[in-house]
Amino acid sequence: MIDLYAYNTPNGRKISVALEELGLPYKVSVIDITKSQQFQPDFLRISPNNRIPAIVDPDGPGGAPISVFESGAILLYLGEKTGRFMPREPRERVAVYEWLMWQMGGFGPMPGQVHHFLMQPEGPARDYGFNRYHTETKRLYGVLEKRLAGREYVATEGEPSIADFAILGWAWRHERHQVPFDDLPNVAAWYARLMARPAVKRGFEIPLS
C-alpha cells in the first residue's frame, strides 16, 4: 500500500486523483502545512524541499521501497509503474511530457501567486502582484483553451493522461484565482468531462485535511 503524504491543495489533489484512477491501494498521512508540519524531520527525509505531496511505495523498483517527492515526479513514477495514462508510442509520450512540464512550470506557480496576493492587505503591492500574475494565469488558460479545440484531453486521445490529472488539480481552483469558464468553452467541457469520472470524483472527496 502506497503512503501518500499530502494536504488539501491542488498539488495534493493531483496525486489523490491519479491514485484513484490507477486503482492503487494507498493510505493518506495528512501533512498540515498550516501548522508547519512539512518541516518535521520525518517528512523532510522523504521530501527534502519541505513541500507536499510525497509518496512512499513499499514495492518500488526491484521490490525495494522508494520515496518520491514533487508532484510531477510522482505522476511520472506512477505512470511508469503501472503502464497506465502514459502512452507507449514515443511521440505521444513527448506530448505528455510537454504538457506536464507546462503545468509544473507555469500553470501552478502563476495561479499560486494569484492566491498569495489575494490574501495580502489592500494596497499598491497587492494590486501590482495580483494584476501581474492574474494576467499570466489568464494567458495560460488561453493556451489551454486553444490546445483543447477539437480534443477531449490535453495530450492524448481516447483517455486522459497524467498531464490531465496535473492540470486538473489547478483548474479545480479556477474560481479562487478568479478565472471563470464563461469564455473558455473547451476548458469547461474538458473540466466537466474529467470531473464526471468516478475515480476523479473519489480523488477529490478523500479527506486531505
Side-chain angles (χ1 to χ4, degrees):
M1 180 173 290
I2 291 174
D3 290 305
L4 168 61
Y5 298 84
Y7 195 66
N8 189 34
T9 68
N11 289 332
R13 288 297 173 188
K14 294 178 195 177
I15 310 306
S16 62
V17 165
L19 287 167
E20 289 290 343
E21 282 280 357
L22 291 164
L24 291 170
Y26 69 102
K27 62 180 179 180
V28 174
S29 294
V30 173
I31 303 298
D32 191 340
I33 60 177
T34 70
K35 297 178 180 177
S36 298
Q37 291 180 354
Q38 70 271 30
F39 297 104
Q40 293 179 348
D42 286 348
F43 182 66
L44 289 174
R45 276 192 282 272
I46 61 173
S47 184
N49 196 35
N50 59 264
R51 296 288 188 271
I52 61 93
I55 65 167
V56 174
D57 182 2
D59 184 25
I66 189 172
S67 61
V68 189
F69 71 98
E70 287 293 333
S71 59
I74 296 169
L75 288 170
L76 286 168
Y77 171 76
L78 294 174
E80 294 287 352
K81 176 183 174 72
T82 62
R84 297 191 62 204
F85 305 114
M86 281 286 290
R88 293 184 180 274
E89 200 280 320
R91 289 182 181 273
E92 294 178 357
R93 289 175 75 89
V94 168
V96 173
Y97 295 153
E98 288 175 328
W99 287 98
L100 178 61
M101 296 307 113
W102 176 84
Q103 186 281 305
M104 296 293 295
F107 195 78
M110 296 302 104
Q113 290 296 320
V114 171
H115 298 172
H116 171 78
F117 281 100
L118 281 172
M119 293 187 295
Q120 303 310 305
E122 292 187 6
R126 177 188 185 276
D127 293 344
Y128 172 79
F130 172 77
N131 290 333
R132 174 183 173 85
Y133 292 108
H134 191 243
T135 296
E136 177 62 6
T137 295
K138 290 190 293 184
R139 186 193 72 80
L140 290 165
Y141 269 102
V143 172
L144 184 60
E145 174 71 10
K146 290 178 182 176
R147 174 61 177 178
L148 288 167
R151 303 181 61 93
E152 286 188 311
Y153 302 108
V154 174
T156 48
E157 300 291 345
E159 71 169 8
S161 72
I162 60 169
D164 290 278
F165 303 148
I167 297 166
L168 182 66
W170 281 93
W172 168 58
R173 289 286 179 87
H174 70 98
E175 292 179 346
R176 181 174 174 183
H177 47 254
Q178 298 186 10
V179 179
F181 287 164
D182 300 4
D183 298 323
L184 300 166
N186 297 328
V187 174
W190 165 85
Y191 183 82
R193 187 176 303 117
L194 283 172
M195 295 298 278
R197 293 171 66 93
V200 170
K201 187 173 185 291
R202 293 194 303 272
F204 279 107
E205 289 176 344
I206 189 165
L208 293 184
S209 60

